[in-house]
Amino acid sequence: MTIHLAAFLIAGNAAHSQVLWRHPQSQPGGFLTLDYYKRIAQTLERGKFDLLFFADRLAVSTRFGGDHRYGLAYGDQDATRMDPLPVLGAIAAVTSRIGLGATRSTTYSQPYSLAREFSTLDHLSAGRAAWNVVTSVNQGEADNFGLRETLGHDERYDRADEFLDVTHKLWRSWQPEALLLDADGGHYADPDKVNPIDHRGTHFNVRGPLNIPASPQGGPVIIQAGSSHRGQDFAARWAEVVFGIQPDLARMHRFYQDLKSRAEKFGRRPQDIKVLTAVMPFVAASKEQAEEQRARHNAMVDPAVGLSTLSSHMNVDFSKYALDAPIDDIQVEGMQGLFKLVKELSREGSLTLADIGRLYASGVLVPQVAGTAAHIADWMEHIVAQQGADGFVITPAHLPEGFDDFVELAVPELQRRGQFRWDYEGDTLRSHLR
Ligand SMILES: Cc1cc2nc3c(=O)[nH]c(=O)nc-3n(C[C@H](O)[C@H](O)[C@H](O)COP(=O)(O)O)c2cc1C
C-alpha cells in the first residue's frame, strides 16, 4: 500500500489557515517571492510528495459586509492570490519529480488558452502538470468577468463537461509521433497526424488543432473538488484525483464510497480515482510539543476572518447574521457540500456563528492532528485501512517551513512502516499516482 500525499497551497497570504501570514514562524511577505516557493517545493520533493497544488480564486472577498475592505483588512483567504501557473513554471525549474497542480476555472477561461497553458507546463516540467478544475461559485468573480451573476449550478457543470471534452480533444489533436524534426529532409511535423477537432457545441466552437505537440503526459492529471451530486458525478467522470474536506472518519468513508461507486457509471474503475482528504498536522518530538504548536496557531484566530472567507465560499454575506446564534436555516448558492457540513457541525456541537467563524479561520473545516510521527502515521494508516481515503492533502499552519516537521519526522515513519515510497519510481505525476 502506498499512501498518496499532496500539499495544499495558495500563491498568497493564506492556505486553509488564515492565520498563516501572521504566524510568528512564517516569513513576512515571503509569499510574493520566488525563494519562498522554491524552498517549499524542494522540501516537498525531498519528502517524495506526489504533488503540490495551488488553489485559486479570481477576486478579493466582496461578500462579507458587501465590501472588499473587510477581507483585505483581516487578510482572509482571498486577500492575495497570485496566478498559480507562472509560479509553477518557476517551481518546475528547481524541481524534477514532484507533480505541479494549478487551479483554473471553467467558467472564466477558454478551452483553447487553457489547453495551451497546461500543455506548456507539462512539456517544461517533463510530465508533471495537473489541473484542479473548478467551476467558480463566487459573485466577486462574476463581477470581474462581466457576468451579472454567477452561472446557475447545472449550467456551471454543463459548461465544465463541454470544456473538458474540448480540452481533451485538443490535447489529443497531435498524435505522439506527429513531431518529426527531420532537419535534413526539412520535415517539421507530419500534418496527417495533427488533426483539427472541429468542435461545435453549446458553449464553445473550437477548430483546433492545438499549436503545441503532444506533451509527455498527453494532458495534465485532472483534479477536482466538487461536493454536490452533480459535482461528484463530474469528478467520477473526469477526475484522477479528488480532494475532500471531511472532519472525521465516518464522513471520509461515506464520501470515499459515494465517489468510487459513481466511477462505473462512466466506464471507469474505482481505483482510477484517488481520493485525498485534507489534514493539518502538527508533528513534534513529543505529543505535548505538538499540542503546544496547535494551541499557538489556534490562539491567533479571529472569527471575523473566518466569516469573511465563509462569505466568499458560500456567496452569502454572513455579517448580516447574529454572531451568537446558530446558523442552520440559511440557504446558500455557493459551496453547498461544505455548507452542509458547517450546518451539521453547528447542530452537533451547538456552535454559534462566531464559533464557526473561529473554526473556519483556523483551517476551513480541515481536521487538525497533533502528535509524534508515530501518532500521525497511526492516524493516517487507520484512515487508509478503513477506506476513508487513498491519501492526504497536507495543509500548512505556517510557511515556508510549515512542511519541514512533516517531511523530517512523519514521512520517514510512514516509509519505515512500508506505507509510503522511499523514492519516486516514475518520472511523471501520473506514474506517482499508480
Ligand atoms: C477541498 C476543496 C477545495 C476547493 N478548491 C477550490 C479552489 O481552489 N477554487 C475554487 O474556486 N473552488 C474551490 N473549491 C470549490 C469546488 O470546486 C466546488 O465548486 C464546491 O465544492 C461546490 O461544489 P459544487 O460545485 O459541486 O456545488 C474547492 C472545494 C473543496 C471542497
Side-chain angles (χ1 to χ4, degrees):
M1 177 171 64
T2 292
I3 289 177
H4 296 281
L5 291 178
F8 179 94
L9 294 163
I10 286 172
N13 58 303
H16 288 111
S17 165
Q18 294 134 62
V19 166
L20 191 144
W21 65 271
R22 305 173 51 200
H23 195 289
Q25 283 171 273
S26 284
Q27 177 192 353
F31 56 82
L32 296 171
T33 67
L34 177 55
D35 275 354
Y36 179 88
Y37 297 102
K38 185 173 158 185
R39 166 85 169 73
I40 294 166
Q42 289 177 337
T43 302
L44 294 167
E45 191 165 69
R46 200 168 66 245
K48 315 296 175 198
F49 270 54
D50 295 58
L51 77 153
L52 59 86
F53 88 94
F54 287 96
D56 199 22
R57 209 162 0 261
L58 299 164
V60 298
S61 299
T62 51
R63 290 306 273 169
F64 190 73
D67 201 295
H68 69 274
R69 62 182 48 249
Y70 299 97
L72 282 175
Y74 304 140
D76 76 356
Q77 204 190 36
D78 291 339
T80 295
R81 291 184 185 243
M82 297 201 294
D83 189 321
L85 273 162
V87 179
L88 288 181
I91 292 177
V94 296
T95 54
S96 60
R97 308 297 279 278
I98 191 167
L100 307 173
T103 299
R104 274 282 190 266
S105 166
T106 52
T107 299
Y108 302 117
S109 311
Q110 281 291 320
Y112 197 86
S113 50
L114 185 136
R116 292 182 74 219
E117 288 169 331
F118 282 93
S119 179
T120 303
L121 180 64
D122 205 43
H123 276 291
L124 295 190
S125 66
R128 297 186 283 141
W131 170 26
N132 179 35
V133 183
V134 299
T135 58
S136 303
V137 295
N138 179 275
Q139 182 61 36
E141 299 177 295
D143 293 340
N144 286 341
F145 287 82
L147 287 189
R148 208 149 51 83
E149 52 189 33
T150 54
L151 300 182
H153 190 263
D154 284 357
E155 196 185 352
R156 278 197 275 128
Y157 279 104
D158 289 345
R159 181 180 160 104
D161 273 324
E162 191 181 334
F163 200 115
L164 271 282
D165 183 32
V166 176
T167 49
H168 278 93
K169 285 180 188 164
L170 287 168
W171 289 317
R172 286 195 301 262
S173 64
W174 285 61
Q175 292 176 31
E177 59 285 2
L179 185 65
L180 300 174
L181 295 176
D182 170 9
D184 292 341
H187 302 295
Y188 176 71
D190 179 349
D192 292 336
K193 293 185 173 156
V194 183
N195 299 306
I197 67 168
D198 288 325
H199 177 89
R200 292 266 168 279
T202 310
H203 300 91
F204 308 108
N205 293 320
V206 181
R207 182 181 184 275
L210 201 62
N211 50 1
I212 305 176
S215 71
Q217 292 189 112
V221 166
I222 303 294
I223 309 175
Q224 215 268 341
S227 48
S228 61
H229 287 298
R230 184 74 199 271
Q232 283 183 283
D233 266 355
F234 180 85
R237 179 171 176 196
W238 298 107
E240 296 160 84
V241 174
V242 170
F243 168 32
I245 295 182
Q246 305 294 339
D248 53 59
L249 176 57
R251 286 184 172 94
M252 288 173 197
H253 184 66
R254 265 204 306 279
F255 180 77
Y256 184 93
Q257 292 294 347
D258 186 3
L259 199 83
K260 299 252 175 176
S261 68
R262 290 169 195 253
E264 207 176 312
K265 189 159 66 167
F266 299 99
R268 304 181 68 202
R269 300 170 309 165
Q271 63 268 36
D272 295 339
I273 307 171
K274 302 293 183 224
V275 176
L276 308 186
T277 197
V279 58
M280 188 186 295
F282 295 87
V283 199
S286 72
K287 172 98 174 132
E288 293 69 37
Q289 280 171 323
E291 288 292 0
E292 228 172 78
Q293 286 178 16
R294 170 172 34 192
R296 196 177 333 136
H297 173 271
N298 293 348
M300 283 186 278
V301 157
D302 172 350
V305 191
L307 293 180
S308 180
T309 298
L310 183 70
S311 297
S312 197
H313 283 187
M314 304 309 158
N315 208 22
V316 165
D317 180 3
F318 282 97
S319 74
K320 291 191 177 139
Y321 297 92
L323 278 173
D324 55 357
I327 52 167
D328 41 10
D329 52 357
I330 302 170
Q331 294 301 314
V332 307
E333 282 293 315
M335 300 186 193
Q336 290 168 26
L338 267 183
F339 197 64
K340 182 164 163 277
L341 193 54
V342 166
K343 289 201 281 196
E344 283 171 17
L345 294 178
S346 171
R347 249 194 321 270
E348 287 165 16
S350 310
L351 303 180
T352 63
L353 187 59
D355 296 329
I356 290 291
R358 225 167 272 121
L359 196 62
Y360 224 77
S362 71
V364 183
L365 302 172
V366 172
Q368 297 179 336
V369 186
T372 61
H375 182 150
I376 305 287
D378 286 346
W379 186 86
M380 290 187 161
E381 232 181 303
H382 183 61
I383 283 168
V384 173
Q386 298 299 312
Q387 299 194 324
D390 298 306
F392 300 89
V393 175
I394 309 297
T395 190
H398 59 84
L399 285 173
E401 295 171 3
F403 294 105
D404 291 18
D405 290 341
F406 187 83
V407 164
E408 271 146 39
L409 302 172
V411 166
E413 179 67 24
L414 290 167
Q415 287 168 328
R416 273 194 293 276
R417 294 177 182 207
Q419 301 285 326
F420 190 58
R421 64 174 71 84
W422 286 97
D423 203 354
Y424 295 107
E425 282 164 21
D427 293 327
T428 65
L429 170 55
R430 208 163 264 127
S431 73
H432 308 337
L433 291 168
R434 259 184 229 126

